[in-house]
Amino acid sequence: MRPRSAADRRRTPILLAVHSARVGGAQLMALDAAGWLADRHELHIAVRRGPLYERFAAAGRPMRASPTMTFGWGSRRRWLLELARSVLDAPRIALYVRRHRIRVVHTNSTVLLGPVIGAWLARVPVVVYARELPPDRRSRLLFSLLGAFADTVVAVSSAVESAFAGARGARVVRISDGIPIPPVPAPREGFGSPLRLCLVGTVNRDGRKGQDVAIDAVARLTERDVDVRLDLVGPIQQETSAAALAQRAAARGVADRVRLAGVSDRVGDVLASSDILLSCAHSEPLGLTIMEALARETPVVATRVGGVPDIVRDGETGILVAPGDPAAVAAGVGELVADPARARAMAARGRIDIAKRFDRTDALRALEAEIARAAAS
Ligand SMILES: CC(=O)N[C@H]1[C@@H](OP(=O)(O)OP(=O)(O)OC[C@H]2O[C@@H](n3ccc(=O)[nH]c3=O)[C@H](O)[C@@H]2O)O[C@H](CO)[C@@H](O)[C@@H]1O
Ligand SMILES: O=P([O-])([O-])O[C@@H]1[C@@H](O)[C@H](O)[C@@H](O)[C@H](O)[C@@H]1O
């Protein structure tokens, strides 16, 4: 057997638990962290099957995933069942942790409870990345449990940090997710005709990303004779939700202007070729697509919810509007279109600001430091 080198001894055995392998911000950020941690440590990954599974499995040693909790919908009975399943999974995790001498457990989402209790049972620290906002009382209870069992809670924004304000036990720190900053784009002239809007986000049953509001905003712009197209890009979780959006566009008379594009693995290109990104979320813990748009100097109109004001400086780097208000979204778009030079200047300032505050490497280094801190405790 090869003697362990000094570099090997510095490699900490870490178990990363990921809540799903579907395309979504919390999963993509976990994938990025997995690559970063795997280059520097011994990484084990608990993740279920899904479109991103192979990429996770390539980064670390895969193990069976833990059950998850759902947020904001479903019956009380279902929630209790999920809670019971999560708790019952904890001994399996504890056994794995002991057997593989794991030093830290890291979870990518607050919907995972089993690995947190499992680590506690095995007496190793847990670092929870909190990327959600609790929509109801049950989720707040879940946050209290996480706060009690975790060693460190990493909150992705000030809004998420506030949701852990009363948490007992855990150290709560804020590390916003970061993105790779692309090269400065070629200068663009004015806006396109038709005006190309896009909204990037999952189509799911709770309509959290506000695609409905974006469609209604398109209808209002059309009434004002603005020739506009809207691409709704993102995985479609329920066909019924997608059908409801298509129906809405038809009912507002803008079916030919709205396209449900489905999931894309080239969101950067979509953003770079759009005139304006709309972020119409009703609730948003952070909002990666806003950063991704600004990093490409694509102007942004976004709802003032959750962590979004952490990203967008209203009137300086983008336009913030009230949630659930299509007229306000349309007015925000109108404001940008009326003054393309100002819109470009805002987006250019946005790029500089994003590069300074939301750089991928800075975020990953900060996370690794928290994991190292926990391991040393
Ligand atoms: C409701 C909720 O909990 N939202 C949070 C969640 O994920 P949520 O899944 O809502 O993530 P975001 O909207 O922030 O980001 C989605 C990510 O998926 C990518 N994408 C999207 C569509 C597509 O077709 N292809 C694709 O690759 C986007 O480029 C982006 O990188 O974690 C993010 C990361 O902390 C936070 O910013 C969000 O506030
Ligand atoms: O449901 P799903 O698409 O697997 O996962 C979702 C993620 O995409 C999102 O990033 C997370 O914050 C949500 O709470 C949710 O869990």
Side-chain angles (χ1 to χ4, degrees):
M1 205 174 149
R2 184 174 65 95
R4 273 163 61 88
S5 66
D8 280 346
R9 282 194 297 274
R10 279 198 299 273
R11 288 170 74 86
T12 305
I14 298 168
L15 170 60
L16 166 66
V18 184
H19 76 294
S20 106
R22 296 201 272 205
V23 174
Q27 296 89 327
L28 289 168
M29 290 296 109
L31 193 57
D32 213 14
W36 180 275
L37 294 172
D39 284 347
R40 295 159 177 81
H41 301 282
E42 176 191 320
L43 191 66
H44 301 242
I45 303 185
V47 61
R48 68 188 57 215
R49 296 272 165 186
L52 302 175
Y53 178 84
E54 297 303 335
R55 289 169 69 190
F56 275 114
R61 182 169 163 171
M63 74 171 285
R64 183 153 62 81
S66 291
T68 54
M69 310 289 296
T70 39
F71 262 10
W73 54 274
S75 65
R76 195 176 119 114
R77 191 165 160 270
R78 176 178 172 162
W79 194 81
L80 288 172
L81 207 68
E82 286 173 352
L83 185 65
R85 283 204 190 113
S86 296
V87 173
L88 289 173
D89 185 56
R92 177 182 72 92
I93 298 286
L95 215 63
Y96 188 95
V97 164
R98 284 284 169 90
R99 188 171 297 152
H100 295 275
R101 298 171 195 275
I102 301 288
R103 293 267 307 282
V104 184
V105 173
H106 171 43
T107 63
N108 81 315
S109 160
T110 53
V111 298
L112 284 164
L113 183 61
V116 176
I117 300 182
W120 178 81
L121 287 175
R123 293 174 198 279
V124 303
V126 196
V127 177
V128 172
Y129 219 135
R131 295 183 160 106
E132 293 79 24
L133 283 167
D136 52 21
R137 217 156 51 88
R138 288 180 215 157
S139 320
R140 282 194 288 278
L141 175 64
L142 176 61
F143 273 36
S144 307
L145 288 172
L146 293 172
F149 284 104
D151 186 78
T152 309
V153 170
V154 179
V156 86
S157 63
S158 47
V160 174
E161 195 174 6
S162 309
F164 281 93
R168 291 207 190 146
R171 161 187 154 81
V172 181
V173 297
R174 174 154 32 119
I175 305 174
S176 291
D177 281 316
I179 58 163
I181 308 297
V184 181
R188 290 196 243 177
E189 292 298 320
F191 287 114
S193 178
L195 183 72
R196 291 151 308 170
L197 307 179
C198 75
L199 183 156
V200 183
T202 305
V203 175
N204 61 11
R205 82 181 68 208
D206 64 12
R208 193 157 47 184
K209 294 293 183 185
Q211 288 94 346
D212 55 344
V213 175
I215 291 172
D216 291 3
V218 165
R220 285 176 185 263
L221 287 164
T222 306
E223 281 162 18
R224 288 202 236 150
D225 291 330
V226 182
D227 186 10
V228 59
R229 300 281 182 279
L230 169 66
D231 269 351
L232 298 173
V233 178
I236 292 175
Q237 271 185 15
Q238 280 86 30
E239 284 301 332
T240 47
S241 309
L245 291 175
Q247 263 171 24
R248 188 178 195 102
R252 305 284 186 276
V254 292
D256 54 340
R257 295 178 181 276
V258 176
R259 190 167 73 102
L260 273 152
V263 68
S264 166
D265 58 5
R266 305 189 68 84
V267 169
D269 294 345
V270 172
L271 294 169
S273 63
S274 297
D275 288 308
I276 296 172
L277 171 83
L278 301 184
S279 171
C280 299
H282 299 283
S283 163
E284 193 64 274
L286 185 62
L288 294 174
T289 63
I290 301 171
M291 296 177 192
E292 291 163 349
L294 288 178
R296 287 164 182 81
E297 297 192 358
T298 298
V300 167
V301 175
T303 46
R304 190 183 293 105
V305 290
V308 174
D310 285 7
I311 306 174
V312 177
R313 301 186 199 275
D314 190 17
E316 261 181 75
T317 63
I319 293 185
L320 294 183
V321 299
D325 187 346
V329 175
V333 170
E335 206 180 310
L336 292 175
V337 173
D339 191 348
R342 176 173 169 246
R344 291 274 159 255
M346 280 166 85
R349 269 198 297 275
R351 181 178 192 283
I352 294 168
D353 191 35
I354 297 297
K356 209 184 292 165
R357 299 190 297 130
F358 298 101
D359 177 72
R360 165 186 181 266
T361 310
D362 294 345
L364 290 170
R365 282 207 182 112
L367 172 64
E368 191 189 1
E370 279 308 322
I371 290 175
R373 185 184 199 276
S377 67

